[in-house]
Amino acid sequence: TRLKRFKDARKEIEQATHFDMYIINESFESAFEELRSIVIDGKVSRTSKDDAMKLCKKLLKEFDELTWL
């Protein structure tokens, strides 16, 4: 269900500091292409850890503001 997915997503975002690479899923096509370039081509993530942490902090704040979650 959506509620479970939101709860799972929050837990995953809380663990982001432990990750080495980040893929921001703004669109399926761009996320898939970045994942492919990391796995197949051995390239590094286009998203820096600092940028990823800023986004994670923003998302966690938004989660905290949801009254139904």
Side-chain angles (χ1 to χ4, degrees):
T1 66
R2 286 186 184 174
L3 181 58
K4 181 180 181 327
R5 179 62 190 120
F6 272 103
K7 288 180 179 182
D8 289 347
R10 189 184 202 317
K11 289 177 189 174
E12 292 168 6
I13 292 168
E14 289 172 340
Q15 298 299 313
T17 58
H18 302 292
F19 302 151
D20 294 325
M21 295 187 186
Y22 304 89
I23 297 174
I24 306 302
N25 190 4
E26 293 180 25
S27 76
F28 175 80
E29 291 81 12
S30 65
F32 178 80
E33 179 55 34
E34 186 166 1
L35 177 62
R36 189 199 65 72
S37 71
I38 291 169
V39 174
I40 303 298
D41 301 333
K43 295 183 179 177
V44 297
S45 176
R46 289 181 241 159
T47 305
S48 72
K49 186 165 190 161
D50 286 342
D51 288 343
M53 292 301 100
K54 287 176 189 173
L55 179 59
C56 288
K57 184 176 179 180
K58 178 182 178 249
L59 291 171
L60 288 172
K61 184 175 186 248
E62 289 177 14
F63 276 121
D64 289 340
E65 293 171 356
L66 295 175
T67 58
W68 52 269
L69 186 57

